[in-house]
Amino acid sequence: MKWIKLIKQSPLFVILLFSGILFTAAAAGGRKTIYREQTFDPWKAPLLSILFTGLNDDIYPWQLFTQEAVQTTAALPEERPESFPEESGDTGAERDTASETEGGALLAASLEAASSVSEAADRAHSALERLEPFRESTREEYLNHISADIYGDAGVIRAGTYEFSRVDESYFDDALFIGDSRTVGLRDYTDLSEHGEFLCETSLTIYKMMEENFKGKGTVEGVLASGKYGKIYIMAGINELGRGTTEDFMEKYTEVIDRLRELAPDAKIFIQGIMRVSGKKHSSDAIFNNNNINARNNAIATLADNQQIFYIDVNEAVCDEEGNLTADYTHDQIHLLGMYNDLWKEFLLSHGVQ
C-alpha cells in the first residue's frame, strides 16, 4: 500500500505529519477545557501554538482525556467571552483522506474523545456570562449627571429566569448584610439582625465598602475572615448617583463582587437592586431620580450568573404601579418608614436559593 511505502521511505516525515495532526486535534479539543486560559489569535499563529503555550504552563495534552480535565475546567471562574474567527484548516476532504489510514482512525478517535470532554465542560459552565455594554456614556450625560443606560434590560431579564425558593428566618443565620442607610433601616426595624450579621453605615458607597471600618466590627474582609457566611447581601448605589458615569460605578461594583467571591468562595452573593425613590423625588431631582437608578440597576444585574451571584430587586415589593417608591411607605421620599421594612424582609424570605 502507498502509505506503507511512504512510511518506509520517509518515516520521520510521517511521524512528524501525524504528530502535527494529533497535536492540532488536541489543541482544538482543548480550546474550551484545558487550554481555555491560553491566549490565541488565529491570524498570528496556528492552532497548534495553543498546545505549546500550554506546555509552558504545565498543561499536557493527555490531560484532555482525563476526568480531572473536566473538573479543573468546571472550577474556573466565568470570564467575558472572547470572539474567535472561524478556523478553516481542518477541511472535510482532509478528514476523509485521513480516515482511510491508520493515522486517520487514530485522529478520528482523538476528535471524538475531545468532543466528549468539551461537551462535558460546556455543561459544567452553565453559569451566565457577564454582558458587555452596548455603548459608552456620552460627555453630555456625564456633565448632566445622567446615568447612561448602557446595558439595557438584558441582564435583568436573564437574572429573572431563576426560580427562587421560599425560606424561613433560619435561612439568614449565616447571612451577611452589607449596605448603606437603607440597610440600617432593615437592621433596626426587623428581626433579621437576630439571625444575620449587619455591616451598614449611613452614606456608605460601593467605593468605600471594602475599606470601611464598621463600628465595633471591623472591615468586610476582617469579618469574612473570622466567620463562615453562606450568603452575602449588598444594597448600595443611591449615594453614588451623580458621581462619575455608569462605567465608573460598574467598574467598582464589579471589583467588589469579585473580591467577595475571593474572600467567601462558597457564599451565595445577592446583588440587591437599588431601591427607587418616590414619584415626587423622581420628578423634582435631576440626580436622585428613578431613571438614574434604573440605569445602574440594569448594569449591576449583568453580574448575576444564577449560580453563585444572584440579582434580586426589592422594588417589586415597595413600589407603586408607576414604578416609584410608594409614597405612603416613606417619610423623606428615599427611605422606608420603619414598619415597611417588613415588606423588604418578606421579599427576601421569598427569594431564597437552595
Side-chain angles (χ1 to χ4, degrees):
M1 297 178 67
K2 291 183 178 181
W3 65 272
I4 295 178
K5 184 178 179 181
L6 181 62
I7 291 176
K8 290 181 179 180
Q9 291 178 344
S10 307
L12 181 59
F13 171 77
V14 173
I15 291 173
L16 291 174
L17 174 63
F18 282 109
S19 296
I21 292 173
L22 289 174
F23 289 155
T24 299
R31 280 278 300 281
K32 293 184 179 180
T33 55
I34 60 174
Y35 299 126
R36 185 172 182 270
E37 297 297 297
Q38 304 302 317
T39 302
F40 170 62
D41 185 345
W43 298 107
K44 296 181 180 179
L47 182 59
L48 185 59
S49 65
I50 296 178
L51 183 140
F52 292 108
T53 56
L55 290 175
N56 189 55
D57 295 332
D58 296 323
I59 302 172
Y60 302 102
W62 53 82
Q63 292 176 341
L64 184 65
F65 307 105
T66 65
Q67 182 63 24
E68 181 182 356
V70 179
Q71 294 172 343
T72 301
T73 304
L76 291 171
E78 285 296 323
E79 298 181 351
R80 293 179 177 175
E82 297 179 1
S83 298
F84 298 99
E86 288 292 328
E87 310 224 13
S88 58
D90 185 16
T91 65
E94 290 171 341
R95 288 195 298 272
D96 291 342
T97 301
S99 64
E100 296 175 0
T101 67
E102 182 180 350
L106 182 57
L107 173 60
S110 299
L111 289 173
E112 183 179 353
S115 177
S116 297
V117 174
S118 180
E119 289 175 5
D122 286 341
R123 288 193 296 272
H125 283 280
S126 58
L128 299 177
E129 296 176 337
R130 292 178 179 177
L131 298 173
E132 296 285 350
F134 58 82
R135 71 172 178 89
E136 296 180 351
S137 296
T138 66
R139 178 169 176 75
E140 231 179 279
E141 288 168 332
Y142 169 71
L143 293 176
N144 290 298
H145 303 296
I146 297 172
S147 296
D149 189 2
I150 60 176
Y151 287 88
D153 59 2
V156 172
I157 292 173
R158 288 195 326 168
T161 62
Y162 186 86
E163 295 185 8
F164 293 95
S165 303
R166 178 78 189 180
V167 297
D168 59 32
E169 293 184 354
S170 65
Y171 180 78
F172 303 108
D173 289 345
D174 63 349
L176 176 64
F177 294 86
I178 310 172
D180 51 34
S181 55
R182 287 160 154 183
T183 302
V184 172
L186 184 67
R187 178 197 66 189
D188 293 347
Y189 294 103
T190 72
D191 60 359
L192 285 178
S193 60
E194 298 175 11
H195 298 274
E197 182 68 81
F198 279 76
L199 299 180
C200 48
E201 290 287 351
T202 299
S203 301
L204 183 71
T205 68
I206 197 70
Y207 300 102
K208 299 190 301 179
M209 184 173 289
M210 299 307 292
E211 291 75 36
E212 182 76 14
N213 194 343
F214 296 91
K215 298 173 184 176
K217 296 182 179 180
T219 64
V220 170
E221 185 166 348
V223 170
L224 288 175
S226 63
K228 186 172 178 59
Y229 295 91
K231 301 104 186 174
I232 302 174
Y233 291 84
I234 296 178
M235 170 64 80
I238 187 69
N239 298 308
E240 295 86 331
L241 295 180
R243 171 176 174 173
T245 63
T246 306
E247 287 93 335
D248 299 332
F249 174 71
M250 185 60 170
E251 180 181 1
K252 188 61 181 181
Y253 209 110
T254 302
E255 180 184 315
V256 169
I257 294 298
D258 288 342
R259 182 59 179 149
L260 291 174
R261 291 187 69 181
E262 293 176 3
L263 296 171
D266 297 325
K268 303 294 185 185
I269 300 174
F270 292 85
I271 295 174
Q272 299 183 84
I274 306 164
M275 193 184 300
R276 299 188 191 118
V277 298
S278 71
K280 179 179 179 181
K281 183 74 172 176
H282 165 69
S283 60
S284 62
D285 199 307
I287 294 176
F288 295 94
N289 60 63
N290 292 330
N291 292 336
N292 284 344
I293 290 174
N294 292 340
R296 297 201 173 190
N297 279 346
N298 282 346
I300 61 178
T302 65
L303 297 176
D305 62 14
N306 284 0
Q307 283 199 345
Q308 183 181 1
I309 306 171
F310 302 86
Y311 175 77
I312 56 177
D313 191 359
V314 69
N315 289 302
E316 298 172 19
V318 298
C319 288
D320 58 27
E321 294 179 354
E322 296 180 354
N324 304 313
L325 180 62
T326 302
D328 291 342
Y329 295 173
T330 178
H331 65 286
D332 62 358
Q333 320 306 319
I334 294 176
H335 298 87
L336 289 173
L337 284 164
M339 62 183 292
Y340 292 109
N341 280 278
D342 275 330
L343 295 174
W344 186 355
K345 172 190 168 182
E346 177 63 24
F347 172 80
L348 296 178
L349 285 168
S350 65
H351 285 74
V353 173
Q354 301 294 355

